[in-house]
Amino acid sequence: MAQITAALVKELRDKTGAGMMDAKKALVEVDGDMEAAVDWLRKKGLSKAAKKADRVAAEGLVAVKAEDTGAGMSAAAVEVNAETDFVARNEIFQNAVGEIAGLAIKADSVEALNASQMSSGKSVADTMTDLIAQIGENMSVRRTATLSVDPGVVAAYVHNAAGDGMGKIGVLVALKSEGDKAVLAELGRKVAMHVAAGSPAPALAVHEGELDQAVVEKERQVFAGQARESGKPEQIVEKMVEGRLRKFYEEVVLLKQVFVFDTDKTVAEAIKAAEGDAGAPIELTGFVRMVLGEGVEKKEEDFAAEVAAVAKG
């Protein structure tokens, strides 16, 4: 039997919004397995914030860059982490991140990007080493993602901008079309802003078929557990589960989401409506949503304990 500590209970409460006793009971029921405890609370209907992402902010910048390739476009998003928000406002750091984002368009991995040559003649990796020595903080290129389309446009958008093309959320949206590029660019920017908003939930896929089936199955099991708590017959439970899955798809499949710029339309319907102005069919082929610090855990300092330890020493 795993030891259910106060810290473990607090972590589960922070993730789910459940009460202390419910959180403790969930952990006891699943022998301390955090992920299973979250699911247990959701099935019991006790999680008040089941969709709250387990994200601890890391500092730095997300940057986006796009380039015209003739009939089409290519673009990249890159995250460069640092220890404090102060560095994100540093002009030297911002200039380096902007150049790195440009190089990321032709790099298919972080390793390839780190090996790319900056305008100084040094590699990205060596440039980061120099910045660490110059600025005095640890920093690194954490991840990169690219999108290309031909013909069409890749629209780029940054939310909470700290500089040109860089901020805390970076989004790329690829629209394949032979239509008017100005119309496509405006539509792409609006869809990118919609993706950045992530409301009511961040999109996980363009189409339903692109969703990770493990994620879908997990949701199905949670919905089944919730439905069975109602005491309804199994055939009714199945219908309830299918209904909740349809709602889940409407929340996380981009084309099925209600468009934030016109809530009478889905994203798919808004794109279809724009085809008249563009003068050609439009297909949304992909998107990237990169949030600064997403999934990065920062060490929590207990300053009281640190001061006490120093005093005892």
Side-chain angles (χ1 to χ4, degrees):
M1 174 66 72
Q3 183 180 4
I4 310 303
T5 64
L8 205 59
V9 172
K10 181 181 183 301
E11 183 181 350
L12 182 57
R13 290 188 68 197
D14 289 343
K15 284 186 176 182
T16 64
M20 183 181 297
M21 296 310 295
D22 290 330
K24 184 175 181 180
K25 184 177 180 182
L27 287 163
V28 169
E29 289 289 331
V30 299
D31 197 25
D33 185 317
M34 182 61 64
E35 187 173 341
V38 171
D39 288 344
W40 188 91
L41 286 167
R42 290 182 66 189
K43 289 175 183 177
K44 296 296 182 182
L46 297 171
S47 173
K48 297 176 184 176
K51 294 176 184 175
K52 182 179 178 183
D54 182 20
R55 298 171 181 165
V56 180
E59 303 303 337
L61 288 168
V62 170
V64 296
K65 275 282 175 71
E67 66 177 27
D68 202 310
T69 58
M73 291 184 72
S74 294
V78 64
E79 179 181 1
V80 182
N81 291 140
E83 292 181 54
T84 68
D85 183 57
F86 177 77
V87 169
R89 300 191 297 272
N90 182 298
E91 186 178 356
I92 296 172
F93 180 73
Q94 289 188 358
N95 289 340
V97 171
E99 186 175 351
I100 290 168
L103 293 171
I105 294 174
K106 293 180 171 62
D108 59 3
S109 67
V110 170
E111 290 74 22
L113 181 54
N114 275 325
S116 300
Q117 185 174 308
M118 302 277 284
S119 59
S120 64
K122 293 186 176 182
S123 69
V124 169
D126 287 343
T127 299
M128 296 305 295
T129 300
D130 289 346
L131 284 173
I132 291 169
Q134 183 177 359
I135 296 175
E137 280 196 17
N138 189 28
M139 55 191 75
S140 65
V141 177
R142 181 183 174 221
R143 53 181 170 159
T144 183
T146 58
L147 277 183
S148 294
V149 67
D150 189 5
V153 304
V154 180
Y157 171 73
V158 167
H159 188 65
N160 284 342
D164 185 22
M166 58 189 74
K168 293 193 174 182
I169 301 177
V171 176
L172 305 174
V173 170
L175 297 176
K176 186 174 184 178
S177 176
E178 293 182 345
D180 187 303
K181 275 202 168 186
V183 173
L184 296 175
E186 177 61 22
L187 174 63
R189 179 173 172 79
K190 286 183 176 179
V191 175
M193 292 173 74
H194 168 99
V195 172
S199 179
L204 300 179
V206 174
H207 305 281
E208 187 176 312
E210 294 177 356
L211 283 171
D212 185 337
Q213 289 308 298
V215 171
V216 174
E217 185 55 32
K218 180 177 177 179
E219 292 301 310
R220 184 186 294 276
Q221 293 301 320
V222 168
F223 294 149
Q226 290 173 341
R228 291 190 181 101
E229 287 288 318
S230 69
K232 297 282 197 311
E234 194 61 28
Q235 62 268 29
I236 302 299
V237 166
E238 280 301 314
K239 290 181 179 178
M240 291 171 68
V241 170
E242 291 307 313
R244 291 176 185 181
L245 271 177
R246 281 195 298 274
K247 180 66 175 174
F248 170 69
Y249 292 143
E250 289 169 5
E251 290 183 348
V252 302
V253 174
L254 179 54
L255 290 174
K256 291 178 177 286
Q257 289 184 332
V258 174
F259 193 37
V260 295
F261 286 93
D262 184 349
T263 54
D264 290 331
K265 292 184 176 72
T266 63
V267 172
E269 290 167 343
I271 292 172
K272 187 68 178 175
E275 290 182 344
D277 291 335
I282 304 170
E283 179 188 0
L284 198 164
T285 59
F287 72 96
V288 171
R289 182 178 190 266
M290 193 173 286
V291 181
L292 179 66
E294 190 173 36
V296 176
E297 290 192 15
K298 290 180 72 178
K299 182 181 177 182
E300 292 186 17
E301 302 288 352
D302 187 340
F303 292 108
E306 186 177 324
V307 171
V310 171
K312 286 179 181 178

